[in-house]
Amino acid sequence: MWKTVLRRVIIMVPQIIILSMLVFIIAKLMPGDPFTGLMGPETDPNRIEELREAAGLNDPWYQQYARWVSNAVHGDLGKSYTYQRSVTSLIGERALNTFYLSLVAMILTYLIAIPLGLLAGRYQDSRLDRGIVFYNFLSMAIPPFVFGLILIYVFGYKLGWVPTSGSVDVLTEKGTLSYYWDKLYHIITPAITMAVLGTYTVIQYLRSEIIDSKNQDYVKTARSKGLPMNKVYTRHIFRNSLIPIAAGLGFTITGLLGGTIFIETIFSYPGMGELFMSSIASRDYSVITALIVLYGFLGLLGSMLSDIILSIVDPRIRID
């Protein structure tokens, strides 16, 4: 298996290079640059041109790209002209917030989806099943920004139970227990939004797998031997039905990290998604390029993790 993992990692290198090159070229073809927003009636055009020249923005794209790759290899992803900070430290700070949000959202997603999927599959065509299916379609149909705004309005503004923006209170001392509790307090509303609207895939997979498993020969054999139905479900059906969910765990993890863009923007949560949207608005191409390459790497990593997890949970499958 480790040879296959190493081979997959080696294959990822040219894929990341091609992705970064395409993103870099597209970014350079877009109108404007970080200094465009400085233009005004009283702004000296020569000063703006000097800033562009000093930043190397007037060089051909291939020279800029070669310089960016050379610096990226050494851990330097450039400088954010909007935040006047290195892109590496900026993304590192925001990535931690996104990780916390994604972790809580993933836990809530499985806590909601797995029981509902198991119940819907076991009690197929019952009122309970129809109710869960209705919830599933509803969660799939509601746009995230609509559900998020409803939660903000009801629980944030009307009831005042949860904060409406930020990741932690500025007056909270960092590193204390109250600091981490306050971070969880700020995370819970966007995490619930992501979890409630992200359960439909897991529920649908589980329901379909259980319905299909009930007609398999090994279930009929277990029943013919007199094994109670509850034990058939717990020992055979439920266990086998969870294999596709475990296999998709890698994609779920990376999907949550990338899928926080709209949620973080709605809740003004300072993570990578909110940084990505604000960087697009300010034409901060150094940050945009680094984030897109990072999201692409996470997608490739998720594919590899899913294959590894599948080979672990299902002994019949080996990726090598």
Side-chain angles (χ1 to χ4, degrees), residues 98-152:
T98 297
F99 171 77
Y100 290 145
L101 174 58
S102 300
L103 179 63
V104 175
M106 183 179 66
I107 294 173
L108 291 176
T109 297
Y110 283 112
L111 287 177
I112 296 171
I114 291 179
L116 292 181
L118 295 177
L119 290 172
R122 178 167 184 175
Y123 301 104
Q124 180 186 4
D125 296 329
S126 65
R127 289 184 179 180
L128 178 61
D129 178 35
R130 288 194 289 268
I132 294 173
V133 170
F134 175 76
Y135 156 78
N136 212 31
F137 282 115
L138 195 64
S139 66
M140 183 173 58
I142 297 178
F145 68 88
V146 172
F147 189 69
L149 290 175
I150 291 174
L151 292 186
I152 291 174

Short mmCIF file of all heavy atoms in Angstrom, two decimals, residues 98-152:
data_model
loop_
_atom_site.label_atom_id
_atom_site.label_comp_id
_atom_site.label_asym_id
_atom_site.label_seq_id
_atom_site.Cartn_x
_atom_site.Cartn_y
_atom_site.Cartn_z
N THR A 98 -10.62 27.79 10.32
CA THR A 98 -11.40 26.94 9.42
C THR A 98 -11.35 25.48 9.88
O THR A 98 -12.35 24.76 9.77
CB THR A 98 -10.86 27.06 7.99
OG1 THR A 98 -11.03 28.40 7.53
CG2 THR A 98 -11.60 26.13 7.03
N PHE A 99 -10.20 25.06 10.39
CA PHE A 99 -10.09 23.68 10.89
C PHE A 99 -11.04 23.44 12.06
O PHE A 99 -11.72 22.42 12.11
CB PHE A 99 -8.64 23.40 11.31
CG PHE A 99 -8.47 22.09 12.03
CD1 PHE A 99 -8.47 20.89 11.33
CD2 PHE A 99 -8.33 22.05 13.41
CE1 PHE A 99 -8.31 19.68 11.98
CE2 PHE A 99 -8.18 20.84 14.07
CZ PHE A 99 -8.17 19.66 13.36
N TYR A 100 -11.09 24.37 13.00
CA TYR A 100 -12.00 24.23 14.14
C TYR A 100 -13.44 24.16 13.67
O TYR A 100 -14.23 23.32 14.12
CB TYR A 100 -11.83 25.41 15.10
CG TYR A 100 -10.53 25.42 15.87
CD1 TYR A 100 -9.89 26.62 16.18
CD2 TYR A 100 -9.93 24.23 16.28
CE1 TYR A 100 -8.69 26.64 16.89
CE2 TYR A 100 -8.73 24.25 16.98
CZ TYR A 100 -8.12 25.45 17.27
OH TYR A 100 -6.94 25.46 17.96
N LEU A 101 -13.81 25.05 12.76
CA LEU A 101 -15.18 25.07 12.25
C LEU A 101 -15.51 23.77 11.51
O LEU A 101 -16.58 23.18 11.71
CB LEU A 101 -15.37 26.27 11.32
CG LEU A 101 -16.70 26.37 10.57
CD1 LEU A 101 -17.87 26.41 11.55
CD2 LEU A 101 -16.72 27.60 9.67
N SER A 102 -14.61 23.30 10.68
CA SER A 102 -14.84 22.08 9.90
C SER A 102 -14.92 20.86 10.81
O SER A 102 -15.73 19.95 10.57
CB SER A 102 -13.73 21.89 8.87
OG SER A 102 -13.67 22.98 7.98
N LEU A 103 -14.10 20.82 11.85
CA LEU A 103 -14.11 19.68 12.77
C LEU A 103 -15.45 19.58 13.50
O LEU A 103 -16.06 18.51 13.56
CB LEU A 103 -12.98 19.82 13.78
CG LEU A 103 -12.87 18.71 14.84
CD1 LEU A 103 -12.59 17.36 14.18
CD2 LEU A 103 -11.77 19.05 15.86
N VAL A 104 -15.92 20.71 14.04
CA VAL A 104 -17.21 20.70 14.74
C VAL A 104 -18.34 20.38 13.78
O VAL A 104 -19.25 19.60 14.10
CB VAL A 104 -17.45 22.07 15.43
CG1 VAL A 104 -18.84 22.12 16.07
CG2 VAL A 104 -16.38 22.34 16.48
N ALA A 105 -18.28 20.94 12.56
CA ALA A 105 -19.32 20.69 11.57
C ALA A 105 -19.35 19.22 11.16
O ALA A 105 -20.42 18.63 11.00
CB ALA A 105 -19.11 21.56 10.34
N MET A 106 -18.17 18.59 11.02
CA MET A 106 -18.11 17.18 10.63
C MET A 106 -18.69 16.29 11.73
O MET A 106 -19.44 15.35 11.45
CB MET A 106 -16.67 16.78 10.34
CG MET A 106 -16.54 15.34 9.84
SD MET A 106 -14.84 14.87 9.47
CE MET A 106 -14.11 14.93 11.11
N ILE A 107 -18.36 16.59 12.99
CA ILE A 107 -18.90 15.80 14.11
C ILE A 107 -20.42 15.91 14.15
O ILE A 107 -21.14 14.90 14.29
CB ILE A 107 -18.28 16.28 15.44
CG1 ILE A 107 -16.78 15.96 15.47
CG2 ILE A 107 -18.99 15.62 16.62
CD1 ILE A 107 -16.05 16.53 16.65
N LEU A 108 -20.94 17.13 14.01
CA LEU A 108 -22.39 17.33 14.03
C LEU A 108 -23.06 16.65 12.83
O LEU A 108 -24.16 16.09 12.96
CB LEU A 108 -22.71 18.82 14.04
CG LEU A 108 -22.36 19.60 15.31
CD1 LEU A 108 -22.65 21.08 15.13
CD2 LEU A 108 -23.14 19.05 16.50
N THR A 109 -22.39 16.69 11.68
CA THR A 109 -22.95 16.08 10.48
C THR A 109 -23.18 14.59 10.67
O THR A 109 -24.26 14.06 10.38
CB THR A 109 -22.02 16.31 9.28
OG1 THR A 109 -21.91 17.71 9.01
CG2 THR A 109 -22.56 15.62 8.03
N TYR A 110 -22.17 13.89 11.19
CA TYR A 110 -22.30 12.45 11.39
C TYR A 110 -23.23 12.11 12.54
O TYR A 110 -23.93 11.09 12.50
CB TYR A 110 -20.92 11.83 11.61
CG TYR A 110 -20.14 11.69 10.33
CD1 TYR A 110 -18.99 12.43 10.09
CD2 TYR A 110 -20.56 10.82 9.33
CE1 TYR A 110 -18.29 12.31 8.91
CE2 TYR A 110 -19.86 10.69 8.15
CZ TYR A 110 -18.72 11.44 7.94
OH TYR A 110 -18.02 11.33 6.76
N LEU A 111 -23.26 12.96 13.57
CA LEU A 111 -24.18 12.71 14.68
C LEU A 111 -25.64 12.82 14.24
O LEU A 111 -26.52 12.13 14.76
CB LEU A 111 -23.92 13.71 15.82
CG LEU A 111 -22.65 13.49 16.65
CD1 LEU A 111 -22.49 14.58 17.69
CD2 LEU A 111 -22.69 12.12 17.33
N ILE A 112 -25.89 13.69 13.25
CA ILE A 112 -27.25 13.84 12.73
C ILE A 112 -27.54 12.81 11.64
O ILE A 112 -28.59 12.16 11.65
CB ILE A 112 -27.45 15.27 12.17
CG1 ILE A 112 -27.33 16.31 13.28
CG2 ILE A 112 -28.82 15.40 11.49
CD1 ILE A 112 -27.30 17.75 12.77
N ALA A 113 -26.60 12.65 10.71
CA ALA A 113 -26.87 11.88 9.49
C ALA A 113 -26.91 10.37 9.72
O ALA A 113 -27.76 9.68 9.15
CB ALA A 113 -25.83 12.23 8.43
N ILE A 114 -25.98 9.84 10.51
CA ILE A 114 -25.90 8.38 10.66
C ILE A 114 -27.16 7.81 11.31
O ILE A 114 -27.74 6.85 10.78
CB ILE A 114 -24.63 7.98 11.42
CG1 ILE A 114 -23.40 8.25 10.55
CG2 ILE A 114 -24.67 6.51 11.82
CD1 ILE A 114 -22.07 7.92 11.20
N PRO A 115 -27.63 8.34 12.44
CA PRO A 115 -28.88 7.79 13.00
C PRO A 115 -30.07 7.93 12.05
O PRO A 115 -30.87 6.99 11.92
CB PRO A 115 -29.10 8.63 14.27
CG PRO A 115 -27.76 9.14 14.63
CD PRO A 115 -27.07 9.36 13.34
N LEU A 116 -30.20 9.08 11.38
CA LEU A 116 -31.32 9.28 10.46
C LEU A 116 -31.23 8.33 9.27
O LEU A 116 -32.25 7.77 8.83
CB LEU A 116 -31.36 10.73 9.97
CG LEU A 116 -31.72 11.79 11.02
CD1 LEU A 116 -31.74 13.17 10.38
CD2 LEU A 116 -33.05 11.48 11.69
N GLY A 117 -30.03 8.14 8.73
CA GLY A 117 -29.87 7.23 7.60
C GLY A 117 -30.17 5.79 7.98
O GLY A 117 -30.81 5.05 7.22
N LEU A 118 -29.73 5.38 9.17
CA LEU A 118 -29.99 4.02 9.63
C LEU A 118 -31.49 3.78 9.86
O LEU A 118 -32.04 2.75 9.48
CB LEU A 118 -29.22 3.75 10.92
CG LEU A 118 -27.68 3.76 10.81
CD1 LEU A 118 -27.06 3.56 12.18
CD2 LEU A 118 -27.19 2.70 9.84
N LEU A 119 -32.15 4.76 10.47
CA LEU A 119 -33.58 4.62 10.73
C LEU A 119 -34.39 4.61 9.43
O LEU A 119 -35.33 3.83 9.28
CB LEU A 119 -34.06 5.76 11.63
CG LEU A 119 -33.59 5.71 13.09
CD1 LEU A 119 -33.96 7.00 13.81
CD2 LEU A 119 -34.18 4.50 13.81
N ALA A 120 -34.02 5.49 8.50
CA ALA A 120 -34.75 5.55 7.22
C ALA A 120 -34.61 4.26 6.44
O ALA A 120 -35.57 3.78 5.81
CB ALA A 120 -34.23 6.73 6.40
N GLY A 121 -33.41 3.67 6.46
CA GLY A 121 -33.21 2.41 5.74
C GLY A 121 -33.90 1.23 6.40
O GLY A 121 -34.46 0.37 5.72
N ARG A 122 -33.87 1.20 7.70
CA ARG A 122 -34.47 0.06 8.41
C ARG A 122 -36.00 0.08 8.31
O ARG A 122 -36.63 -0.94 8.08
CB ARG A 122 -34.04 0.06 9.87
CG ARG A 122 -34.68 -1.08 10.65
CD ARG A 122 -34.03 -1.29 11.99
NE ARG A 122 -34.61 -2.44 12.67
CZ ARG A 122 -34.19 -2.94 13.82
NH1 ARG A 122 -33.15 -2.37 14.43
NH2 ARG A 122 -34.76 -3.99 14.37
N TYR A 123 -36.58 1.28 8.49
CA TYR A 123 -38.04 1.39 8.46
C TYR A 123 -38.49 1.99 7.13
O TYR A 123 -39.16 3.02 7.08
CB TYR A 123 -38.52 2.23 9.64
CG TYR A 123 -38.11 1.66 10.97
CD1 TYR A 123 -37.07 2.21 11.69
CD2 TYR A 123 -38.75 0.54 11.49
CE1 TYR A 123 -36.68 1.68 12.91
CE2 TYR A 123 -38.37 -0.01 12.71
CZ TYR A 123 -37.33 0.56 13.42
OH TYR A 123 -36.94 0.02 14.62
N GLN A 124 -38.07 1.35 6.06
CA GLN A 124 -38.36 1.81 4.70
C GLN A 124 -39.87 1.95 4.48
O GLN A 124 -40.66 1.10 4.88
CB GLN A 124 -37.77 0.84 3.69
CG GLN A 124 -38.01 1.21 2.24
CD GLN A 124 -37.54 0.11 1.30
OE1 GLN A 124 -37.11 -0.94 1.75
NE2 GLN A 124 -37.63 0.37 0.01
N ASP A 125 -40.25 3.07 3.83
CA ASP A 125 -41.64 3.37 3.45
C ASP A 125 -42.56 3.63 4.64
O ASP A 125 -43.78 3.74 4.46
CB ASP A 125 -42.24 2.25 2.59
CG ASP A 125 -41.51 2.10 1.26
OD1 ASP A 125 -41.02 3.12 0.76
OD2 ASP A 125 -41.44 0.97 0.76
N SER A 126 -42.02 3.75 5.83
CA SER A 126 -42.84 4.11 6.98
C SER A 126 -42.97 5.63 7.06
O SER A 126 -42.35 6.37 6.29
CB SER A 126 -42.20 3.59 8.27
OG SER A 126 -40.96 4.24 8.51
N ARG A 127 -43.78 6.11 8.00
CA ARG A 127 -43.91 7.55 8.18
C ARG A 127 -42.59 8.17 8.60
O ARG A 127 -42.26 9.29 8.18
CB ARG A 127 -44.98 7.84 9.24
CG ARG A 127 -46.41 7.54 8.80
CD ARG A 127 -47.40 7.95 9.87
NE ARG A 127 -48.77 7.68 9.44
CZ ARG A 127 -49.84 7.95 10.18
NH1 ARG A 127 -49.69 8.48 11.40
NH2 ARG A 127 -51.04 7.69 9.72
N LEU A 128 -41.85 7.45 9.43
CA LEU A 128 -40.53 7.93 9.85
C LEU A 128 -39.61 8.08 8.64
O LEU A 128 -38.92 9.09 8.50
CB LEU A 128 -39.93 6.96 10.86
CG LEU A 128 -38.52 7.30 11.37
CD1 LEU A 128 -38.51 8.64 12.08
CD2 LEU A 128 -38.01 6.19 12.30
N ASP A 129 -39.60 7.09 7.78
CA ASP A 129 -38.78 7.14 6.58
C ASP A 129 -39.18 8.30 5.68
O ASP A 129 -38.32 9.04 5.19
CB ASP A 129 -38.90 5.81 5.82
CG ASP A 129 -38.10 5.81 4.52
OD1 ASP A 129 -37.02 6.43 4.50
OD2 ASP A 129 -38.57 5.22 3.53
N ARG A 130 -40.48 8.48 5.47
CA ARG A 130 -40.94 9.58 4.63
C ARG A 130 -40.59 10.94 5.23
O ARG A 130 -40.24 11.87 4.51
CB ARG A 130 -42.45 9.47 4.40
CG ARG A 130 -42.85 8.33 3.46
CD ARG A 130 -44.28 8.46 3.01
NE ARG A 130 -45.21 8.18 4.11
CZ ARG A 130 -45.71 6.99 4.36
NH1 ARG A 130 -45.36 5.94 3.61
NH2 ARG A 130 -46.55 6.80 5.37
N GLY A 131 -40.65 11.04 6.56
CA GLY A 131 -40.26 12.29 7.22
C GLY A 131 -38.79 12.59 7.04
O GLY A 131 -38.40 13.73 6.78
N ILE A 132 -37.95 11.56 7.17
CA ILE A 132 -36.51 11.75 7.00
C ILE A 132 -36.17 12.09 5.55
O ILE A 132 -35.32 12.95 5.29
CB ILE A 132 -35.75 10.49 7.45
CG1 ILE A 132 -35.92 10.29 8.96
CG2 ILE A 132 -34.27 10.57 7.11
CD1 ILE A 132 -35.35 8.98 9.49
N VAL A 133 -36.84 11.43 4.62
CA VAL A 133 -36.62 11.74 3.19
C VAL A 133 -37.03 13.17 2.89
O VAL A 133 -36.34 13.89 2.15
CB VAL A 133 -37.39 10.75 2.30
CG1 VAL A 133 -37.36 11.19 0.85
CG2 VAL A 133 -36.79 9.35 2.43
N PHE A 134 -38.14 13.62 3.48
CA PHE A 134 -38.58 15.01 3.28
C PHE A 134 -37.54 15.98 3.83
O PHE A 134 -37.20 16.98 3.18
CB PHE A 134 -39.93 15.24 3.96
CG PHE A 134 -40.41 16.66 3.90
CD1 PHE A 134 -40.93 17.18 2.73
CD2 PHE A 134 -40.31 17.48 5.03
CE1 PHE A 134 -41.34 18.50 2.67
CE2 PHE A 134 -40.72 18.79 4.97
CZ PHE A 134 -41.25 19.31 3.80
N TYR A 135 -37.05 15.70 5.04
CA TYR A 135 -35.99 16.54 5.61
C TYR A 135 -34.75 16.54 4.71
O TYR A 135 -34.10 17.57 4.52
CB TYR A 135 -35.63 16.04 7.01
CG TYR A 135 -34.24 16.44 7.44
CD1 TYR A 135 -33.96 17.72 7.89
CD2 TYR A 135 -33.18 15.52 7.38
CE1 TYR A 135 -32.68 18.08 8.27
CE2 TYR A 135 -31.90 15.87 7.77
CZ TYR A 135 -31.66 17.15 8.21
OH TYR A 135 -30.39 17.51 8.58
N ASN A 136 -34.43 15.38 4.17
CA ASN A 136 -33.26 15.26 3.32
C ASN A 136 -33.36 16.13 2.08
O ASN A 136 -32.43 16.86 1.72
CB ASN A 136 -33.07 13.79 2.91
CG ASN A 136 -31.63 13.42 2.74
OD1 ASN A 136 -30.76 13.97 3.40
ND2 ASN A 136 -31.35 12.49 1.86
N PHE A 137 -34.50 16.08 1.41
CA PHE A 137 -34.70 16.92 0.22
C PHE A 137 -34.73 18.40 0.60
O PHE A 137 -34.26 19.25 -0.16
CB PHE A 137 -35.98 16.52 -0.50
CG PHE A 137 -35.86 15.28 -1.33
CD1 PHE A 137 -36.56 14.13 -1.02
CD2 PHE A 137 -35.01 15.25 -2.43
CE1 PHE A 137 -36.42 12.97 -1.78
CE2 PHE A 137 -34.86 14.10 -3.20
CZ PHE A 137 -35.58 12.96 -2.87
N LEU A 138 -35.30 18.70 1.76
CA LEU A 138 -35.36 20.09 2.21
C LEU A 138 -33.97 20.64 2.49
O LEU A 138 -33.63 21.77 2.09
CB LEU A 138 -36.22 20.19 3.47
CG LEU A 138 -36.69 21.58 3.88
CD1 LEU A 138 -37.60 22.18 2.82
CD2 LEU A 138 -37.40 21.53 5.23
N SER A 139 -33.14 19.85 3.15
CA SER A 139 -31.78 20.29 3.45
C SER A 139 -30.95 20.45 2.19
O SER A 139 -30.04 21.29 2.13
CB SER A 139 -31.10 19.30 4.39
OG SER A 139 -30.90 18.04 3.75
N MET A 140 -31.26 19.64 1.16
CA MET A 140 -30.54 19.74 -0.10
C MET A 140 -31.00 20.96 -0.90
O MET A 140 -30.22 21.56 -1.64
CB MET A 140 -30.75 18.47 -0.92
CG MET A 140 -29.99 18.44 -2.24
SD MET A 140 -30.13 16.83 -3.06
CE MET A 140 -31.90 16.67 -3.23
N ALA A 141 -32.26 21.38 -0.73
CA ALA A 141 -32.82 22.45 -1.54
C ALA A 141 -32.56 23.84 -0.97
O ALA A 141 -32.49 24.81 -1.73
CB ALA A 141 -34.33 22.24 -1.70
N ILE A 142 -32.43 23.95 0.35
CA ILE A 142 -32.26 25.26 0.97
C ILE A 142 -30.85 25.78 0.72
O ILE A 142 -29.87 25.11 1.06
CB ILE A 142 -32.52 25.20 2.49
CG1 ILE A 142 -33.96 24.79 2.76
CG2 ILE A 142 -32.25 26.55 3.14
CD1 ILE A 142 -34.29 24.65 4.23
N PRO A 143 -30.70 26.98 0.15
CA PRO A 143 -29.36 27.56 -0.03
C PRO A 143 -28.72 27.86 1.32
O PRO A 143 -29.42 28.27 2.26
CB PRO A 143 -29.64 28.86 -0.81
CG PRO A 143 -30.99 28.68 -1.40
CD PRO A 143 -31.75 27.82 -0.44
N PRO A 144 -27.41 27.67 1.45
CA PRO A 144 -26.75 27.91 2.74
C PRO A 144 -26.93 29.32 3.26
O PRO A 144 -27.11 29.52 4.47
CB PRO A 144 -25.27 27.62 2.43
CG PRO A 144 -25.30 26.73 1.24
CD PRO A 144 -26.49 27.14 0.44
N PHE A 145 -26.89 30.32 2.36
CA PHE A 145 -26.99 31.70 2.84
C PHE A 145 -28.38 32.01 3.39
O PHE A 145 -28.52 32.81 4.31
CB PHE A 145 -26.61 32.68 1.72
CG PHE A 145 -27.58 32.75 0.57
CD1 PHE A 145 -28.66 33.62 0.60
CD2 PHE A 145 -27.41 31.94 -0.54
CE1 PHE A 145 -29.54 33.69 -0.46
CE2 PHE A 145 -28.29 32.00 -1.60
CZ PHE A 145 -29.37 32.86 -1.56
N VAL A 146 -29.41 31.34 2.86
CA VAL A 146 -30.77 31.56 3.37
C VAL A 146 -30.90 30.99 4.78
O VAL A 146 -31.35 31.67 5.72
CB VAL A 146 -31.82 30.92 2.44
CG1 VAL A 146 -33.21 30.98 3.07
CG2 VAL A 146 -31.83 31.61 1.09
N PHE A 147 -30.46 29.73 4.95
CA PHE A 147 -30.55 29.09 6.26
C PHE A 147 -29.67 29.81 7.28
O PHE A 147 -30.05 30.00 8.44
CB PHE A 147 -30.15 27.62 6.15
CG PHE A 147 -30.39 26.83 7.39
CD1 PHE A 147 -31.69 26.54 7.80
CD2 PHE A 147 -29.34 26.36 8.16
CE1 PHE A 147 -31.93 25.80 8.96
CE2 PHE A 147 -29.56 25.63 9.31
CZ PHE A 147 -30.86 25.35 9.71
N GLY A 148 -28.48 30.22 6.84
CA GLY A 148 -27.58 30.94 7.74
C GLY A 148 -28.15 32.27 8.19
O GLY A 148 -28.06 32.62 9.37
N LEU A 149 -28.74 33.01 7.28
CA LEU A 149 -29.33 34.30 7.64
C LEU A 149 -30.52 34.12 8.59
O LEU A 149 -30.75 34.95 9.47
CB LEU A 149 -29.77 35.04 6.38
CG LEU A 149 -28.64 35.57 5.48
CD1 LEU A 149 -29.20 36.18 4.21
CD2 LEU A 149 -27.80 36.60 6.24
N ILE A 150 -31.28 33.03 8.40
CA ILE A 150 -32.40 32.75 9.31
C ILE A 150 -31.89 32.51 10.73
O ILE A 150 -32.43 33.05 11.71
CB ILE A 150 -33.22 31.54 8.82
CG1 ILE A 150 -33.95 31.90 7.52
CG2 ILE A 150 -34.22 31.09 9.88
CD1 ILE A 150 -34.65 30.73 6.87
N LEU A 151 -30.83 31.72 10.86
CA LEU A 151 -30.25 31.45 12.17
C LEU A 151 -29.70 32.71 12.81
O LEU A 151 -29.86 32.94 14.02
CB LEU A 151 -29.15 30.39 12.07
CG LEU A 151 -29.58 28.97 11.70
CD1 LEU A 151 -28.39 28.02 11.79
CD2 LEU A 151 -30.69 28.47 12.61
N ILE A 152 -29.03 33.53 12.00
CA ILE A 152 -28.48 34.79 12.52
C ILE A 152 -29.59 35.69 13.02
O ILE A 152 -29.51 36.27 14.12
CB ILE A 152 -27.65 35.50 11.44
CG1 ILE A 152 -26.37 34.72 11.15
CG2 ILE A 152 -27.29 36.92 11.89
CD1 ILE A 152 -25.57 35.28 9.99
#
